[in-house]
Amino acid sequence: MFLGDLVAAPVLQDGRRVGYVADVRLLVPPHTPGQRVGTPRVYGIVVCPRRTASFVGYERTGVREPRLLAAFFRWRARGSFLVLWPDLARVGENGVDLRLDARRWSADLDSRPQL
Amino acid sequence: MTSHDALSHPPVHIVGQLVDARLSLLDRQVVDVDGRPVGVLDDLELTDVASPLEPGTPPPEVTSLVHGPIVLERIFGGRRPDAHLLRIGWDAVAKLGPAIELAAPASELPTSWVESWLRDRVIVRIPGGRHVPR
């Protein structure tokens, strides 16, 4: 499976489209034996209600400058949310299905360690 | 309303680093151990998962970096033959940052199908093309 197949795929819940995959959040563990960088695994997906998913991440990071662009991109990605891996019911070529009781979390990376 | 306003962070203790693949990995330069560019990260290959996902199914892991001429596929869809994609195992990654640094020199990395094809079909027929230039 390629990660690129997931990006921009439709996200459904109870047969209803709730958005599109804007990004795939990976968890890189501090150490994997025999490797310098731990093997990343899927932590969750960032879902944007619209196809105009942000690729610059203003809505997920603390970047606020330039203000006009930041405000525009944050507005365009409004309503984005994170769904954790255990709440995914199906991952396939036709999209991603969420479990009926899937929780929506903040897509914000601000308070998380990041690259 | 943005995600900042209404939603909270998942109450999960994170051991490691969270990285958004599209934001921080895809399309980044890949450099070898000497800092020489070896390509751009076009995609990541993940372990396969069953569908539908049973509760408790472990998340897929990244197995390799994928580099290949995929611009046309991004525009028109479809997929190139597997042999046309250059895969570099994740165990070769030395550091993640503005560029993805590998722990091996470019000479030890797999070559692209274009380079292999040219070597095997064209270069080898040129006099002197079967050995390292001196």
Side-chain angles (χ1 to χ4, degrees):
Chain A
M1 180 169 70
F2 291 99
L3 186 140
D5 294 340
L6 292 178
V7 174
V11 179
L12 308 174
Q13 188 173 31
D14 198 13
R16 191 173 58 89
R17 193 176 64 230
V18 295
Y20 299 88
V21 178
D23 213 328
V24 178
R25 187 157 295 174
L26 302 172
L27 174 62
V28 185
H31 182 66
T32 299
Q35 296 180 190
R36 296 200 192 179
V37 179
T39 302
R41 57 179 182 270
V42 175
Y43 179 75
I45 56 171
V46 178
V47 181
C48 181
R50 288 163 294 281
R51 272 188 189 277
T52 54
S54 165
F55 57 92
V56 284
Y58 275 100
E59 81 288 1
R60 283 172 269 158
T61 63
V63 179
R64 299 288 183 274
E65 303 283 344
R67 287 188 185 183
L68 194 60
L69 283 181
F72 172 71
F73 284 119
R74 289 171 72 86
W75 169 79
R76 212 165 70 137
R78 65 194 182 282
S80 295
F81 57 91
L82 170 73
V83 179
L84 301 183
W85 172 259
D87 284 340
L88 305 188
R90 188 186 62 83
V91 176
E93 291 180 359
N94 299 324
V96 177
D97 284 348
L98 306 184
R99 298 194 192 283
L100 295 180
D101 57 349
R103 289 285 308 269
R104 300 181 181 195
W105 302 100
S106 168
D108 198 354
L109 268 169
D110 263 4
S111 56
R112 305 289 194 194
Q114 54 181 294
L115 292 178
Chain B
M1 184 179 73
T2 69
S3 58
H4 295 256
D5 302 322
L7 302 172
S8 58
H9 285 294
V12 180
H13 178 60
I14 303 294
V15 180
Q17 195 174 30
L18 289 176
V19 177
D20 280 356
R22 193 179 178 204
L23 188 63
S24 302
L25 295 176
L26 296 185
D27 293 331
R28 295 231 172 167
Q29 185 82 57
V30 180
V31 298
D32 76 351
V33 70
D34 302 315
R36 279 188 297 231
V38 295
V40 171
L41 179 59
D42 291 312
D43 210 339
L44 289 167
E45 189 164 30
L46 306 172
T47 51
D48 286 326
V49 290
S51 187
L53 297 165
E54 296 296 328
T57 303
E61 294 186 336
V62 175
T63 57
S64 53
L65 315 176
V66 178
H67 170 58
I70 61 167
V71 174
L72 293 178
E73 285 77 4
R74 281 189 182 179
I75 297 171
F76 299 110
R79 175 169 291 170
R80 231 164 243 273
D82 252 22
H84 289 194
L85 299 174
L86 176 65
R87 289 176 169 82
I88 301 170
W90 185 266
D91 54 357
V93 176
K95 189 180 174 189
L96 299 178
I100 297 165
E101 299 175 23
L102 302 178
S107 57
E108 292 179 12
L109 298 173
T111 53
S112 70
W113 75 274
V114 175
E115 196 175 333
S116 303
W117 189 90
L118 283 173
R119 181 194 61 208
D120 297 340
R121 306 286 178 90
V122 179
I123 304 296
V124 77
R125 297 176 196 277
I126 300 172
R130 289 176 184 269
H131 58 78
V132 178
R134 282 176 287 182

